[in-house]
Amino acid sequence: MKIQIIRCLKDNYSYLIIDETNLNACIVDPGESKPIIDFVESNNINLKYILNTHHHFDHVDGNTELKKKYNSSVIGFSGDRDRIPKIDILVNDQEIWREDNFEAKIYHTPGHTSGHIAFHFFKEKKIFTGDTLFSLGCGRIFEGTYEQMFNSLKKIKSLPKDTEIYCGHEYTLQNSNFCASYDTNNLQLKNKITKIKEKLRNGLPTIPSNLDEELQCNIFLKADDLQTFSKLRDLKDNF
Ligand code: ZN
Ligand code: FE
């Protein structure tokens, strides 16, 4: 499987997961349709599936147009059946979604929204975390509780350390400033920030990250009790 990163809207990332044996593909979180159609058309991709991590507009606004054009199936959390546009296939926590050569385990990760999910392509060791886990940050808590978000991150933390993290936004640099100001002596974080700045200078995404680096550098993953996590989340909201 090849991952093509497609920029959407201001700072969103959609990910095209391409099976290179037959050019079948899934798109994760199409925040808009135009940049995805452009890539699909010029590369003869069969856009068969639309995977949504949650119902926010910047993750689903491309659903209707893409489904109309390519007759793709929309996959989303069962609890969000009324909020995800054009949803076809309802999935639940811990379920394995399989179609063609695609295989992903679903993790329900509430906190940012009550129906947020992550798609873990375990054979490829890649997880699509939407607005739950960002590189060096985590999503704002809109619908859930601190405890739900803390537990959702815990699920991701327990995956193999070489898992690649594909998140919903390019927020890495802003997040790194927060981590750096509350974790001042972290050498690995400093090294990661140098790499991040170099990528951005060259116009490249800072994504994917990987779980090993996030465990060392992401202050929200380093927090090992709910109280510390909640305090950090509050500080970040006002940072
Ligand atoms: Zn969101
Ligand atoms: Fe978002």
Side-chain angles (χ1 to χ4, degrees):
M1 300 286 166
K2 187 187 168 228
I3 311 296
Q4 175 67 40
I5 301 180
I6 300 179
R7 294 172 195 269
C8 287
L9 306 170
K10 191 168 134 266
D11 51 28
N12 277 80
Y13 285 133
S14 294
Y15 301 104
L16 198 60
I17 306 167
I18 306 163
D19 180 344
E20 288 173 293
T21 64
N22 50 23
L23 296 185
N24 288 343
C26 312
I27 186 76
V28 178
D29 284 353
E32 56 180 330
S33 55
K34 172 87 170 64
I36 292 148
I37 291 171
D38 290 347
F39 188 89
V40 163
E41 293 298 312
S42 49
N43 292 277
N44 296 311
I45 303 288
N46 317 309
L47 188 64
K48 296 190 70 177
Y49 309 102
I50 298 169
L51 312 181
N52 293 131
T53 62
H54 65 296
H55 75 286
H56 284 159
F57 79 95
D58 58 317
H59 300 256
V60 303
D61 261 14
N63 282 16
T64 304
E65 186 70 28
L66 292 172
K67 181 171 172 173
K68 198 167 103 194
K69 199 164 166 63
Y70 301 110
N71 199 25
S72 326
S73 304
V74 176
I75 291 94
F77 184 58
S78 61
D80 274 346
R81 73 182 76 199
D82 298 325
R83 309 202 283 188
I84 292 181
K86 306 289 175 191
I87 193 166
D88 297 295
I89 298 169
L90 309 178
V91 293
N92 288 297
D93 189 35
Q94 307 291 322
E95 182 182 321
I96 294 179
W97 171 76
R98 275 189 194 95
E99 292 284 352
D100 299 327
N101 294 325
F102 302 112
E103 201 168 0
K105 185 165 179 179
I106 309 301
Y107 289 95
H108 183 213
T109 55
H112 179 69
T113 67
S114 58
H116 198 295
I117 55 175
F119 293 87
H120 183 212
F121 283 72
F122 47 91
K123 286 184 300 186
E124 290 84 10
K125 296 192 168 184
K126 298 176 195 307
I127 188 166
F128 297 86
T129 59
D131 290 357
T132 296
L133 175 65
F134 294 122
S135 180
L136 301 182
C138 73
R140 276 178 192 260
I141 296 164
F142 285 126
E143 295 179 351
T145 63
Y146 294 95
E147 192 172 12
Q148 281 179 326
M149 185 55 120
F150 182 68
N151 290 329
S152 294
L153 293 173
K154 229 186 204 168
K155 290 185 185 177
I156 299 171
K157 276 165 86 165
S158 68
L159 298 175
K161 286 207 168 82
D162 55 349
T163 305
E164 287 183 309
I165 314 281
Y166 290 84
C167 59
H169 291 264
E170 181 58 81
Y171 288 162
T172 315
L173 185 64
Q174 300 102 294
N175 288 341
S176 78
N177 292 330
F178 179 75
C179 288
S181 42
Y182 290 95
D183 190 6
T184 43
N185 293 317
N186 186 335
L187 191 64
Q188 272 171 292
L189 174 61
K190 284 181 184 153
N191 291 337
K192 189 168 167 72
I193 292 174
T194 306
K195 286 193 284 174
I196 287 163
K197 288 185 173 161
E198 194 183 316
K199 282 186 185 156
L200 294 173
R201 235 192 340 266
N202 292 314
L204 298 171
T206 63
I207 307 305
S209 183
N210 68 67
L211 187 56
D212 191 30
E213 279 184 17
E214 293 301 320
L215 290 169
Q216 309 288 343
C217 302
N218 184 330
I219 201 163
F220 294 98
L221 295 190
K222 291 180 80 182
D224 38 33
D225 62 79
L226 177 60
Q227 206 188 345
T228 311
F229 171 77
S230 307
K231 177 121 195 283
L232 286 167
R233 194 53 263 176
D234 283 344
L235 286 166
K236 179 68 167 45
D237 284 344
N238 300 301
F239 186 67

